Amino acid sequence: PLLREGNPIGAIVVGWEQPGPIPPVQEALLQTFADQAVIAVENVRLFNETKQALERQTATSDILRVISSSTTDVQPVFDAIVQSGLKLFPDALVSVALPEDGQVRLAAVAARDPAEREEWRKRFPFPLTRQYMHGVSLLERRMLDVPDAAAITDPVLASGVKNFLASGLR
C-alpha cells in the first residue's frame, strides 16, 4: 500500500507468472518504491496547493488594483471579478448580479464559450423572488452551494432550480 500518515492513497501491484512468495529483498525494494511514490504524490499536492494559493492571491490582487483605480465607476471592478473568477474556475460561467428595483440585474459575466455567455445575459433581468436561485440567495442573505441542480429536491429551491436548469448549467 501507498500510505500517507497511515491512510491509504494507492497501491503498487506486482504479479509474476510463476507462483511463490516474494523474496524479502524484492519486498523491501517495493516498500522503498511505495515510500517514494507517497513522497512524489505529497510533493505534487503541496505544489498544486501553493500554485492555487498564488492564483487566488493574484486574482485578489488584480481585483484590488482595479478597485483602487476605479473610484467613480464600479463596472471595471465587476468585470475584473468575473475575469479573475474565470481564471480560477476555467470551466465555469462566472457572473455578478445585483438587486435593483425589485429585479436582479446582470452586472458582469464571463465564460469561455461566448454563446453560453450571451445565453446567460438573455436571462436578465428577472424578478427578485424565490422563483430564482439568485433571489433565494439575496433575499435570505446566504450562500447557496448546489453541487448538482438537477439532483435538488428541496421544495424551497424547486422553482429556482427549474429556472436555473433552463440555463443549461447544472
Side-chain angles (χ1 to χ4, degrees):
L2 305 179
L3 300 174
R4 182 177 63 217
E5 297 176 3
N7 296 313
I9 62 167
I12 296 175
V13 177
V14 179
W16 287 271
E17 288 183 8
Q18 297 299 318
I22 183 169
V25 171
Q26 290 180 334
E27 184 177 345
L29 184 59
L30 284 171
Q31 184 59 56
T32 300
F33 288 166
D35 293 343
Q36 290 172 347
V38 170
I39 291 168
V41 168
E42 186 66 10
N43 285 345
V44 168
R45 184 187 66 77
L46 291 171
F47 176 79
N48 287 336
E49 284 179 4
T50 302
K51 182 180 169 195
Q52 290 169 355
L54 182 59
E55 288 170 350
R56 288 190 300 268
Q57 289 173 353
T58 300
T60 301
S61 173
D62 291 346
I63 294 167
L64 290 173
R65 186 172 39 260
V66 173
I67 288 171
S68 68
S69 65
S70 301
T71 56
T72 60
D73 184 10
V74 295
Q75 189 59 50
V77 176
F78 296 146
D79 293 337
I81 288 170
V82 298
Q83 290 304 320
S84 291
L86 194 57
K87 288 178 190 172
L88 294 173
F89 316 112
D91 295 329
L93 177 140
V94 181
S95 67
V96 173
L98 304 173
E100 188 174 281
D101 298 325
Q103 292 193 315
V104 177
R105 175 181 66 83
L106 182 64
V109 61
R112 283 194 310 180
D113 180 0
E116 183 181 41
R117 187 174 52 239
E118 289 311 308
E119 283 302 312
W120 190 254
R121 280 187 201 285
K122 291 177 186 177
R123 303 188 63 74
F124 291 84
F126 54 80
L128 177 58
T129 67
R130 286 179 174 77
Q131 301 296 307
Y132 298 87
M133 292 192 340
H134 288 75
V136 172
S137 180
L138 291 164
L139 293 168
E140 295 183 9
R141 294 169 175 84
R142 68 180 175 106
M143 183 180 94
L144 293 178
D145 180 9
V146 180
D148 183 355
I152 295 299
T153 58
D154 182 344
V156 173
L157 298 178
S159 57
V161 164
K162 181 180 173 189
N163 283 319
F164 182 78
L165 289 172
S167 73
L169 300 174
R170 296 277 297 268

